[in-house]
């Protein structure tokens, strides 16, 4: 019913000749990744606000000075603070599962658009919020947008990327996520000097609304993914999208023909099996499900959001004053972004496993350094005596963020998006993303009280989870680099078995014809009208011809 009412009947295909190929591919990747930048921005914006007296007064009703915040004399209940930070994660969890259906029925591009619009509404609420209730409502609505974007954007990246470049494209996406966090840190630092005016913490929400508006507008110019188009009957448009994204627009190019044949063959196989149910994710793809779940679980319990959500507060606890903490949080965010660069360069050639195992080892060392120094600094009096140790904690946080940004940051999003077959990709990614949000909520909720009771010992607790993650990857995770999405069934050893089981259940023979004939009615640079009047993919052209021809 939902599919019949809301799914579009046609997609206008072609782009101008000067834009096709790498310009379209990389610009589409970057524009879609703005959705993840919004995710990163939401992490940092609340962290900067929590150390501002005017925010504490408006939201929690307590009058405090900068000196009290600096000394850790904050009357706000740590569990209330935990609820404010973590409520976004619960609605993001809900949205990640809902968007599995939106993503499959309406398309990857429309799911990004809806997520961006929801995020825009939440941003407007938070700009004008008068009290704590409005903050909670705004963050809960924001979580719906973040959940849709975090689930859909990695799928979009993997489905437009060539086989040899999936790691690069998801690394670009994660770089944008980190850039969003860095932007929020520097925006928060800049607006801090507007104190005591409330614009010091409302200003960053204005920037957030502007970013959300840009994302919504840009979705009208993004191409839909070839795999979604072909699977949903828009075969001519799918061929055209392949040609425009991966070649100079020539639909007869060997790369296009080979990719189309592989996608068609896989879709034919999967249509014999039907759309995957949630139960079949575990019954037919158990190893994929384990990887999808644990990669996001470990990413959160390795401690990233224990550090990011409370970074200015953690640096203040170490001994910096509030303005220094906000400044150094911005510096840490830049280091976090820089960590993604090695991933862009080497994750497709060196593989996913090497990055994750070495990342776990590096994070163990960084967390041991931060925890040890935190224990030491707590025994020192407030003031200049703490500064050398505080500098060491800052260095340890930078090391941690660089390593995490290169390893356990981007790669779980890459694995969740690439490991599931097309029939199960949206649900599989929703499963993986849902685990991320559950784990994210747990970490965000327990961090304030555990910091209050364990102090530096909390870092050693996180260190233990990090060590376990490296061992688990070494013994359980297969290598997925260098394979097309359609070849990964062989890597996990489930494709033939699943085909046989389902074929037997349905009483059919599964025969896949790998040859493909490119429809002759689609010229190399065909638009849906005059070739000189190129129609962008986002335009609303209504035609049934493509579906009928296919």
């Amino acid at each position: 019913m939902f599919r019949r009412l809301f799914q579009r009947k046609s997609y206008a295909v072609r782009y101008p000749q000067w834009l096709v190929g790498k310009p379209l591919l990389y610009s589409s990747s970057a524009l879609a990744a703005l959705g993840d930048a919004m995710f990163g921005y939401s992490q940092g914006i609340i962290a900067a606000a929590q150390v501002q007296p005017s925010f504490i007064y408006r939201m929690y009703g307590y009058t405090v000075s900068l000196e009290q915040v600096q000394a850790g004399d904050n009357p706000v209940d740590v569990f209330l603070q935990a609820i404010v930070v973590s409520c976004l994660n619960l609605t993001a969890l809900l949205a990640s599962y809902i968007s599995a259906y939106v993503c499959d029925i309406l398309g990857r591009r429309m799911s990004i658009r809806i997520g961006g619009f929801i995020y825009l509404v939440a941003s407007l609420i938070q700009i004008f919020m008068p009290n704590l209730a409005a903050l909670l409502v705004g963050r809960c609505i924001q979580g719906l947008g973040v959940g849709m974007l975090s689930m859909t954007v990695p799928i979009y990246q993997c489905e437009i990327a060539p086989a040899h470049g999936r790691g690069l494209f998801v690394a670009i996406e994660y770089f944008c996520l980190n850039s969003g966090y860095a932007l929020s840190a520097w925006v928060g630092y800049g607006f801090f000097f507007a104190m005591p005016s409330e614009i010091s913490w409302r200003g960053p929400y204005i920037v957030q609304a502007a970013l959300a508006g840009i994302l919504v507008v840009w979705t009208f110019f993004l191409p839909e993914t070839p795999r979604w188009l072909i699977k949903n009957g828009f075969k001519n448009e799918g061929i055209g999208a392949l040609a425009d994204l991966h070649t100079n627009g020539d639909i007869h190019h060997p790369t296009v023909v080979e990719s189309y044949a592989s996608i068609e063959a896989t879709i034919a196989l999967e249509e014999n099996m039907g759309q995957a149910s949630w139960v079949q994710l575990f019954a037919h793809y158990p190893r994929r499900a384990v990887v999808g779940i644990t990669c996001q679980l470990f990413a959160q319990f390795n401690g990233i959001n224990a550090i990011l959500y409370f970074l200015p507060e953690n640096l203040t606890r170490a001994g910096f004053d509030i303005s220094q903490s906000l400044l150094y949080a911005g510096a840490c965010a830049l280091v976090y972004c820089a960590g993604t660069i090695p991933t862009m360069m080497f994750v497709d050639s060196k593989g996913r496993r090497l990055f994750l195992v070495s990342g776990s080892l590096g994070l163990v060392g960084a967390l041991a350094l931060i925890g040890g120094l935190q224990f030491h600094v707590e025994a020192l009096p407030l003031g200049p005596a703490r500064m050398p140790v505080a500098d060491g904690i800052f260095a340890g946080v930078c090391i941690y963020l660089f390593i995490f940004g290169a390893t356990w940051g981007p790669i779980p999003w890459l694995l969740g998006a690439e490991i599931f077959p097309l029939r199960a990709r949206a649900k599989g990614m929703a499963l993986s993303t849902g685990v991320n949000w559950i784990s994210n909520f747990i970490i965000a909720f327990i961090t304030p009280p555990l910091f209050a009771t364990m102090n530096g010992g909390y870092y050693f607790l996180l260190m233990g989870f990090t060590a376990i993650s490296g061992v688990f990857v070494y013994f359980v995770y297969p290598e997925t680099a260098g394979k097309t999405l359609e070849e990964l069934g062989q890597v996990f050893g489930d494709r033939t078995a699943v085909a046989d089981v389902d074929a037997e259940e349905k009483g059919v023979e599964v025969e896949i014809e790998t040859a493909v004939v490119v429809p002759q009615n689609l010229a190399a640079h065909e638009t849906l009208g005059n070739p000189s009047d190129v129609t962008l993919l986002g335009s609303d052209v209504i035609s049934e011809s493509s579906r009928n021809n296919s």
Side-chain angles (χ1 to χ4, degrees):
M1 176 72 172
F2 182 83
R3 184 184 296 270
R4 290 197 303 270
L5 285 175
F6 295 102
Q7 190 177 52
R8 289 183 60 170
K9 300 301 188 295
S10 71
Y11 284 81
V13 183
R14 312 313 299 276
Y15 284 80
Q17 184 62 30
W18 58 267
L19 183 58
V20 299
K22 288 185 178 180
L24 179 62
L25 183 62
Y26 286 101
S27 63
S28 298
S29 175
L31 296 183
L34 180 58
D36 279 293
M38 312 287 289
F39 173 24
Y41 193 93
S42 69
Q43 288 177 305
I45 196 171
I46 192 65
Q50 290 180 112
V51 294
Q52 299 197 32
S54 61
F55 179 85
I56 293 171
Y57 174 75
R58 170 65 71 175
M59 296 300 140
Y60 302 107
Y62 294 106
T63 301
V64 295
S65 65
L66 281 175
E67 290 73 21
Q68 286 177 289
V69 177
Q70 169 67 32
D73 184 14
N74 189 340
V76 179
D77 182 82
V78 291
F79 286 101
L80 181 58
Q81 186 185 42
I83 291 170
V84 169
V85 173
S86 61
C87 65
L88 178 148
N89 301 309
L90 291 180
T91 52
L93 168 65
L94 174 65
S96 66
Y97 286 104
I98 294 173
S99 57
Y101 297 96
V102 176
C103 192
D104 271 344
I105 295 172
L106 300 184
R108 304 353 183 177
R109 183 184 61 176
M110 181 59 75
S111 186
I112 295 173
R113 184 179 304 163
I114 294 171
F117 180 77
I118 294 172
Y119 197 106
L120 175 60
V121 171
S123 301
L124 295 175
I125 292 173
Q126 291 172 98
I127 290 172
F128 302 105
M129 58 190 173
N131 51 37
L132 180 61
L135 172 61
L136 290 172
V137 169
R139 282 187 63 77
C140 286
I141 295 174
Q142 186 177 17
L144 295 174
V146 167
M148 292 195 73
L149 292 171
S150 65
M151 201 287 286
T152 308
V153 172
I155 292 179
Y156 184 90
Q157 300 281 21
C158 281
E159 290 192 355
I160 68 169
H164 62 276
R166 279 196 313 276
L168 168 63
F169 278 75
V170 175
I172 290 173
E173 170 202 342
Y174 198 76
F175 178 82
C176 290
L177 187 155
N178 294 352
S179 298
Y181 180 81
L183 177 63
S184 71
W186 286 102
V187 167
Y189 176 68
F191 275 100
F192 174 77
F193 295 99
M195 289 183 61
S197 169
E198 290 188 349
I199 196 68
S200 63
W201 53 268
R202 293 189 191 273
Y205 288 107
I206 297 173
V207 176
Q208 178 178 261
L211 292 174
I214 292 170
L215 175 63
V216 171
V217 172
W218 272 350
T219 59
F220 287 91
F221 300 95
L222 285 176
E224 184 54 86
T225 70
R227 286 172 174 83
W228 186 89
L229 289 169
I230 295 169
K231 179 176 176 58
N232 286 272
F234 302 103
K235 296 186 179 181
N236 288 355
E237 288 88 340
I239 297 169
L242 281 171
D244 284 349
L245 287 166
H246 296 161
T247 70
N248 62 355
D250 179 10
I251 63 170
H252 301 291
H253 191 283
T255 299
V256 175
V257 174
E258 181 180 348
S259 296
Y260 180 77
S262 178
I263 294 169
E264 275 276 72
T266 302
I267 290 172
L269 173 66
E270 294 178 355
E271 284 180 348
N272 277 290
M273 293 186 275
Q275 192 72 14
S277 67
W278 293 103
V279 173
Q280 286 176 333
L281 288 180
F282 299 93
H284 290 170
Y285 311 109
R287 194 177 182 190
R288 301 190 200 217
V290 168
V291 171
I293 290 171
T294 57
C295 67
Q296 290 289 5
L297 178 72
F298 286 131
Q300 290 303 314
F301 279 86
N302 286 354
I304 183 60
N305 283 314
I307 290 178
L308 289 185
Y309 279 138
F310 307 97
L311 184 54
E313 190 174 338
N314 291 342
L315 293 175
T316 300
R317 186 184 294 111
F320 297 109
D321 63 37
I322 292 178
S323 63
Q324 286 177 317
S325 296
L326 292 172
L327 175 63
Y328 288 2
C332 288
L334 294 179
V335 173
Y336 191 27
C337 289
T340 317
I341 296 175
T343 316
M344 292 182 187
M345 298 172 62
F346 300 115
V347 72
D348 285 311
S349 59
K350 303 298 182 182
R352 289 47 160 156
R353 280 168 44 89
L354 176 64
F355 270 78
L356 291 177
V357 173
S358 61
S360 293
L361 292 174
L363 292 178
V364 165
L367 288 168
L369 173 63
I370 298 169
L373 291 175
Q374 187 65 43
F375 269 126
H376 180 53
V377 80
E378 286 158 3
L380 299 174
L382 292 174
R386 286 193 171 194
M387 293 313 298
V389 184
D391 289 336
I393 291 175
F394 168 67
V397 170
C398 286
I399 293 170
Y400 174 93
L401 289 176
F402 184 88
I403 296 173
F404 192 94
T407 58
W408 279 98
I411 293 177
W413 295 101
L414 169 60
L415 289 174
E418 74 177 358
I419 61 175
F420 292 97
L422 187 59
R423 68 188 288 257
R425 186 162 299 141
K427 287 188 177 72
M429 186 60 185
L431 174 69
S432 182
T433 306
V435 171
N436 168 76
W437 290 117
I438 293 173
S439 306
N440 202 325
F441 169 78
I442 294 170
I443 292 296
F445 189 80
I446 67 174
T447 291
L450 285 182
F451 264 136
T453 57
M454 298 179 67
N455 297 318
Y458 184 45
Y459 292 109
F460 289 96
L461 177 63
L462 297 173
M463 187 184 75
F465 285 113
T466 303
I468 293 171
S469 71
V471 174
F472 194 86
V473 169
Y474 183 82
F475 287 104
V476 176
Y477 284 29
E479 183 55 68
T480 58
K483 302 289 186 180
T484 68
L485 293 176
E486 287 69 39
E487 292 171 344
L488 288 182
Q490 300 169 8
V491 172
F492 285 91
D494 57 11
R495 179 171 180 170
T496 302
V498 171
D500 291 344
V501 168
D502 278 281
E504 185 176 346
E505 288 176 356
K506 294 189 175 185
V508 298
E509 275 186 37
V510 179
E511 295 182 1
I512 303 301
E513 176 60 57
T514 57
V516 61
V517 178
V518 176
Q520 296 300 312
N521 62 335
L522 186 64
H525 301 293
E526 179 188 4
T527 68
L528 293 181
N530 190 317
S532 63
D533 299 325
V534 177
T535 306
L536 289 180
L537 191 58
S539 60
D540 293 318
V541 177
I542 304 299
S543 171
E544 292 280 358
S545 60
S546 172
R547 185 180 289 276
N548 293 336
N549 288 335
S550 63

